[in-house]
Amino acid sequence: MSLKDKVVVIMGASSGIGAATAKLLAEKGAKLTISARRMNRLEEIQKSNVGADILAVEADVSKADEVQNVIDKTMEKYGRVDVMFNNAGIMPVNNLSEVARQEWNQMLDVNVKGVLNGIASVLPIMREQKSGHVITTSSVLGYELLPGFATYSGTKFAVRAIMEGLRQEERGNNIKTTILAPGTVNTELVDSINNDEVREGLKAARKQPGAEMMGMDPEEIASAVAFVIDTPANMAVNEMIIRPTGQEI
Ligand code: NAD
């Protein structure tokens, strides 16, 4: 089965990488379920892709029952799940001495538990189908550290471990796994950074001449996602690190 007609579920589809991936895959004829907490944003994506098969379901990935509902609705509409894209994420920035417990809990809930919820909800279906593909967005910060990003990095290292475990456990069941690890992408994630100095520093860096060397556009990451989904049946891209050419880490 090529990308056209594959059933793809995108979590965290309301903006950035998720929204760009939804648009590209819709153009390529995939059948989509898009999910996030902001239903109005999901409806905008539906409206701007008239004619495409797009189901929108609201969910907070940290809530297991809401993620399960996304998959149940997908099964009702399409009868299968070929790709689960665990892409929702948040990025508070702080030194370890300053991290508020609530912030840390929230980051674990979304970035780690959200991925586990996504995997748990599709595994029984993919095992039954004897095929499937789980893609999870980690980060270059899931491989390397930057000052202020220790907690975020912790979650992104964690999802790499979870995805490697999934690969080992499910390789006999024809379930592919991909860890997607982008460097800096120009999305709302930067605007949401809670540390003024880091946020404004990154925004200023984007405006410098040559800034295109320092950040990628979500559409470019979307094309990488389409590529890993469309590999031949007998091969999987297990890890994909994508850096802007000018980025150190
Ligand atoms: P973004 O903020 O535009 O997108 C994040 C998406 O996750 C949004 O749709 C948001 O609504 C959703 N989301 C957040 N919390 C959620 C929750 N509790 N339940 C459901 N949805 C939730 O930013 P982005 O850059 O497109 O981020 C997508 C992924 O890429 C994240 O996992 C992020 O950590 C990762 N990432 C981003 C960068 C970057 O530089 N932007 C680099 C590497 C990895």
Side-chain angles (χ1 to χ4, degrees):
M1 195 193 280
S2 70
L3 211 165
K4 183 168 159 23
D5 296 326
K6 271 195 181 162
V7 176
V8 182
V9 180
I10 306 175
M11 308 303 289
S14 59
S15 60
I17 296 169
T21 303
K23 185 170 180 295
L24 181 64
L25 297 188
E27 280 164 16
K28 287 180 179 285
K31 297 180 190 307
L32 301 181
T33 298
I34 55 174
S35 181
R37 291 161 306 171
R38 291 173 293 182
M39 199 60 188
N40 58 332
R41 290 285 196 99
L42 299 178
E43 284 165 358
E44 277 168 29
I45 294 174
Q46 279 178 314
K47 277 187 206 139
S48 58
N49 290 279
V50 180
D53 240 331
I54 306 181
L55 172 70
V57 187
E58 188 178 335
D60 178 335
V61 292
S62 67
K63 304 205 168 105
D65 56 338
E66 295 189 14
V67 177
Q68 189 60 52
N69 180 50
V70 174
I71 300 306
D72 292 348
K73 293 263 161 59
T74 302
M75 289 302 283
E76 273 168 34
K77 182 168 167 71
Y78 302 119
R80 54 187 295 115
V81 179
D82 297 306
V83 180
M84 178 65 168
F85 184 20
N86 295 307
N87 172 69
I90 54 174
M91 188 167 71
V93 181
N94 264 323
N95 291 325
L96 287 169
S97 59
E98 297 157 358
V99 176
R101 287 199 175 100
Q102 193 195 350
E103 200 172 87
W104 176 227
N105 276 329
Q106 202 193 355
M107 211 177 355
L108 275 178
D109 278 350
V110 177
N111 293 8
V112 181
K113 246 162 69 182
V115 171
L116 289 168
N117 286 336
I119 292 171
S121 64
V122 294
L123 259 194
I125 295 161
M126 291 182 175
R127 282 182 173 171
E128 172 100 20
Q129 291 172 176
K130 301 219 174 338
S131 73
H133 189 170
V134 179
I135 304 171
T136 294
T137 312
S138 174
S139 169
V140 294
L141 294 173
Y143 292 78
E144 297 159 31
L145 285 165
L146 269 186
F149 288 87
T151 52
Y152 177 77
S153 268
T155 66
K156 294 298 183 182
F157 272 74
V159 296
R160 273 181 60 216
I162 291 163
M163 289 298 288
E164 174 56 15
L166 184 68
R167 185 189 72 77
Q168 292 177 5
E169 289 179 22
E170 300 300 328
R171 63 186 157 203
N173 293 324
N174 195 28
I175 297 175
K176 298 183 184 185
T177 61
T178 304
I179 298 162
L180 189 74
T184 306
V185 189
N186 302 319
T187 68
E188 289 176 17
L189 204 72
V190 172
D191 304 322
S192 74
I193 289 174
N194 57 332
N195 181 307
D196 296 348
E197 206 180 313
V198 175
R199 185 184 60 250
E200 294 314 315
L202 283 173
K203 280 184 164 177
R206 279 179 180 178
K207 294 194 182 113
Q208 295 299 313
E212 67 281 1
M213 303 278 288
M214 299 303 292
M216 300 169 288
D217 288 328
E219 291 72 22
E220 293 167 315
I221 308 302
S223 62
V225 177
F227 172 81
V228 300
I229 292 176
D230 218 11
T231 49
N234 67 335
M235 64 176 266
V237 178
N238 293 130
E239 290 179 68
M240 191 179 238
I241 302 174
I242 314 164
R243 298 172 205 263
T245 45
Q247 196 166 51
E248 274 292 308
I249 71 141

